[in-house]
Amino acid sequence: MKSKTDKPEKAEKTTRSKAKSKTMEHNLEMVRVCYEHSLTTIDYAVVSAMIAGVAPAAFTAALSYWFLQCAAMSRDKTELEFMRWSRDFDLVWNPIIEATLDFVDEFEGDVDYSSMETILMLQHKFGIKHQELDDDELSGHCDKAIAVVDFLFEKLSHEEMISVSVEMAILVMWLKVAALDDHVDPEAYPIVEQNISAVVERYSKVLSGAQTES
C-alpha cells in the first residue's frame, strides 16, 4: 500500500531531476560559449601571425604544449604530471591526435566543408604553407609562436575561461594549423570542428588511461 508521503516524495524527486537537468544544460551552454570565444580569439591571433610569416610548424608545437596544460588543469592533474606529459608526447598528445584522426576516418555524418575552403584560401592567397627550416630558423619561429600563444592564454586567463573549452579550441586550431602545414588532411578540420564534443568523448578515454597509468 502506498503511503500518503509517496506523492510529495515523487514530486520532490522530479523537481530535483529537473533542476539538475537545467544545471547541466546551463553548464554545457557555458562550455559551448567559452569554446566558441576561445576558438575565435586563438584563430585570429594565430592566423595573423602566420600571415606575417611565422611558420605553421612553430604553432603546432606551441599549441600542443598549451593543450596539455589545459587538459591537465581541467582534470586536476598535478604540475609534475603535466611535466611528464609534456616531456614525452607519446604518453598523451600523440595518442590523442591518433584518436582524433581515427574519429575523422570513421565519421559518416554530414559535414559543411566551407571552413576547409578557408584553409585552401590561406594557403593559396597568403602563402601559409609548410616551410623547410633548419634548426636555427625553426627555433626563431618557435620563439615568436610561443610569444603569441603565451599572450593569448594570458588574455584568456583574465576572462575566466573554462579550461575544457580552451582545450577544445586548441585542438581544433591545432588541426587547422597542421592542415596548413600539410601535416594532416584539411578535411579533418571541419569534421572535428563540427563534432568537437564527440571528439572530446573519444580522446578522454586516452586521458583516463593515462591517469590510470600515472
Side-chain angles (χ1 to χ4, degrees):
M1 181 180 293
K2 294 181 180 180
S3 68
K4 293 182 180 180
T5 60
D6 283 347
K7 288 185 178 180
E9 286 179 355
K10 287 182 179 179
E12 185 178 346
K13 287 180 181 178
T14 301
T15 300
R16 286 200 302 266
S17 178
K18 287 181 179 179
K20 186 176 180 181
S21 178
K22 286 183 179 179
T23 299
M24 289 177 64
E25 288 177 7
H26 174 73
N27 290 342
L28 288 172
E29 178 65 10
M30 286 295 295
V31 168
R32 184 191 66 79
V33 170
C34 289
Y35 156 72
E36 292 178 354
H37 174 68
S38 299
L39 181 57
T40 299
T41 304
I42 296 168
D43 188 285
Y44 184 83
V46 170
V47 169
S48 296
M50 289 190 295
I51 289 174
V54 180
F59 276 110
T60 58
L63 290 169
S64 58
Y65 178 87
W66 272 102
F67 174 92
L68 292 173
Q69 179 78 68
C70 289
M73 289 175 60
S74 61
R75 289 162 181 80
D76 295 324
K77 306 299 285 183
T78 67
E79 184 67 19
L80 286 175
E81 288 169 316
F82 159 67
M83 292 303 297
R84 180 170 168 266
W85 288 2
S86 63
R87 280 196 300 265
D88 184 356
F89 274 20
D90 285 336
L91 288 176
V92 173
W93 175 251
N94 291 338
I96 283 175
I97 293 301
E98 183 179 352
T100 299
L101 296 180
D102 284 346
F103 176 90
V104 171
D105 289 340
E106 297 164 13
F107 186 75
E108 296 180 349
D110 295 329
V111 183
D112 176 0
Y113 285 106
S114 58
S115 58
M116 187 178 74
E117 294 172 5
T118 301
I119 291 176
L120 300 177
M121 182 271 291
L122 289 170
Q123 287 178 321
H124 296 132
K125 183 176 180 180
F126 295 102
I128 301 175
K129 57 186 179 181
H130 175 72
Q131 299 179 37
E132 292 294 338
L133 303 170
D134 61 32
D135 290 344
D136 288 340
E137 289 172 327
L138 181 58
S139 178
H141 281 259
C142 284
D143 287 344
K144 293 176 183 177
I146 290 169
V148 171
V149 174
D150 282 352
F151 174 78
L152 272 173
F153 291 104
E154 178 68 19
K155 179 180 185 301
L156 289 172
S157 69
H158 289 304
E159 297 179 16
E160 298 183 356
M161 290 290 101
I162 301 171
S163 293
V164 72
S165 299
V166 181
E167 168 190 316
M168 291 156 59
I170 295 170
L171 180 63
V172 171
M173 191 64 210
W174 185 92
L175 287 167
K176 184 174 184 175
V177 174
L180 288 163
D181 196 37
D182 294 328
H183 185 57
V184 300
D185 189 326
E187 289 190 7
Y189 172 67
I191 292 173
V192 173
E193 179 192 24
Q194 293 162 41
N195 298 277
I196 186 61
S197 296
V199 173
V200 172
E201 184 177 350
R202 170 75 69 95
Y203 75 64
S204 288
K205 296 175 183 176
V206 173
L207 285 166
S208 296
Q211 292 180 36
T212 300
E213 295 167 10
S214 61

